[in-house]
Amino acid sequence: MDAAGSQVKEECDQYAGQLQSGFVTTQGGKLACSKIIHLIHNNNVKSQVSKVLHECELRMYKSVAFPAIGTGQAGQSPAKVADDMLDAIEEFASKRSVQHLKEIKIVIFQVNMLSDFYESMKKREDSNSSEPQSLMSMLKSFFWGKNRSVEKKKSLVLEKKVDIVTFQICGESQKNVDATESWIINLILKEQFENSISDELIESFDERQIETLADLQRRKHVTIQLERNRSPPCIKISGISRDVCFVFVEVQTMIQKLKDIQEEQSKAELVFKLVEWRYQRSDDSFVAFDKLTNMHLEDAKIARKPHLTVTINKKNYTVDLNTLQANDDQGKTINIQRVSKNEGKL
């Protein structure tokens, strides 16, 4: 309140008798914000956060910052406050009606509380990891803005590695010092090697491949340069000969894995245009397998394999390719169909 200035205090005094909603909104005063929402003490942190979020959306505010409510003089448990605040944000973020509020920040002044909020978010990510859009990604879009992920992808770069070694050479004469310097330089250059890999797939490297390159650069005596602007994109590896050769093979393996994935996806697309494998749902209707499973089933049939293990609704089933039935380990049976699209018959 002191930092906000006397004008804000006067506004609070003016609105003191109008607290039906549980909060009072004033100007930002001397603080770097347009408005301040003052909450009346209440042990229900989740309810307070929800009210503020809905008020921000109603007033078409684009961002809001919360302190760790109730962890000061109110003496509430930081772990419980973290859970309550994130529960409120989760419920708010899941509403499709949210249009204006784009960024939510929780400002934590006490360093020891960071772990409580981190653990609360981590629990949610683990429990929601199987959903198309995890809670963590949803919350991140509000905490740091919805466009930040796009910006991060565009600015994805490999950290430049600079290892500096200083030699101090002392000798009886300048001639001896110069000779020693020349010997050290020649020795370094003798051990140095550079190699490069050019491939169009380097352009599609994402966070996982970049992290792998960064890890190789940390563990080995090499410097890796990622040149995506070249045509085709290029990776340059320089350093000690044996480490350059090791990293070169690792990068080739990474690129080959990407090629294999692309080829498998292309083949799966082609097979799906010709044949569609389906499984029966509880309402007796049939739904198509995903394209990769569809391809694996067709490959197994062509290879005359009697059985193949597939995943249906997150459970493993063994498909009998002769009877076209799938069984799980509990004895549940699901019927399977194979539809030839070019002939239009089973």
Side-chain angles (χ1 to χ4, degrees), residues 8 12 21-28 31 33-40 48-49 51-57 59 61 63-67 69:
V8 174
C12 286
S21 59
F23 60 84
V24 166
T25 303
T26 68
Q27 298 299 316
L31 299 180
C33 60
S34 61
K35 302 286 183 182
I36 302 174
I37 299 177
H38 306 264
L39 293 171
I40 310 305
Q48 288 187 307
V49 173
K51 286 181 179 179
V52 171
L53 292 174
H54 286 291
E55 176 71 8
C56 290
E57 178 65 16
R59 301 295 178 185
Y61 299 152
S63 64
V64 62
F66 290 93
I69 299 171

Side-chain angles (χ1 to χ4, degrees), residues 11 28 40 166-167 234 257 266 318 331:
E11 278 194 79
I40 310 305
T166 302
F167 292 92
C234 173
K257 285 181 179 179
S266 296
T318 300

Side-chain angles (χ1 to χ4, degrees), residues 47-205:
S47 173
Q48 288 187 307
V49 173
S50 295
K51 286 181 179 179
V52 171
L53 292 174
H54 286 291
E55 176 71 8
C56 290
E57 178 65 16
L58 181 65
R59 301 295 178 185
M60 294 187 287
Y61 299 152
K62 295 186 180 299
S63 64
V64 62
F66 290 93
I69 299 171
T71 57
Q73 293 183 355
Q76 294 200 46
S77 162
K80 183 178 184 305
V81 167
D83 287 341
D84 288 346
M85 293 186 73
L86 293 177
D87 281 345
I89 294 171
E90 176 186 357
E91 290 180 8
F92 177 79
S94 64
K95 296 179 184 292
R96 296 187 179 275
S97 58
V98 177
Q99 297 180 357
H100 305 289
L101 188 58
K102 304 296 183 184
E103 189 173 356
I104 301 170
K105 294 181 181 179
I106 298 178
V107 182
I108 303 169
F109 296 101
Q110 300 88 344
V111 176
N112 59 305
M113 290 186 192
L114 286 171
S115 59
D116 294 305
F117 281 83
Y118 173 79
E119 289 300 326
S120 184
M121 292 186 75
K122 191 71 174 65
K123 281 190 302 185
R124 295 155 196 274
E125 183 177 37
D126 293 341
S127 64
N128 289 274
S129 59
S130 62
E131 296 181 5
Q133 183 187 25
S134 71
L135 169 63
M136 182 63 80
S137 64
M138 189 191 304
L139 292 179
K140 283 179 178 177
S141 72
F142 275 91
F143 285 156
W144 297 299
K146 294 190 175 180
N147 296 326
R148 186 67 61 90
S149 61
V150 177
E151 292 172 4
K152 182 178 179 182
K153 186 173 182 180
K154 288 181 180 178
S155 62
L156 194 63
V157 293
L158 182 66
E159 182 181 350
K160 183 175 278 189
K161 179 180 180 181
V162 180
D163 291 331
I164 299 176
V165 177
T166 302
F167 292 92
Q168 292 184 335
I169 307 170
C170 302
E172 295 180 352
S173 65
Q174 185 63 42
K175 181 180 179 182
N176 289 345
V177 171
D178 292 342
T180 303
E181 181 184 3
S182 178
W183 176 78
I184 292 174
I185 292 173
N186 289 334
L187 189 64
I188 292 172
L189 292 176
K190 184 179 178 181
E191 287 293 322
Q192 292 294 301
F193 183 65
E194 182 176 289
N195 208 341
S196 62
I197 303 174
S198 298
D199 197 289
E200 293 292 347
L201 283 176
I202 293 173
E203 176 64 28
S204 64
F205 274 20

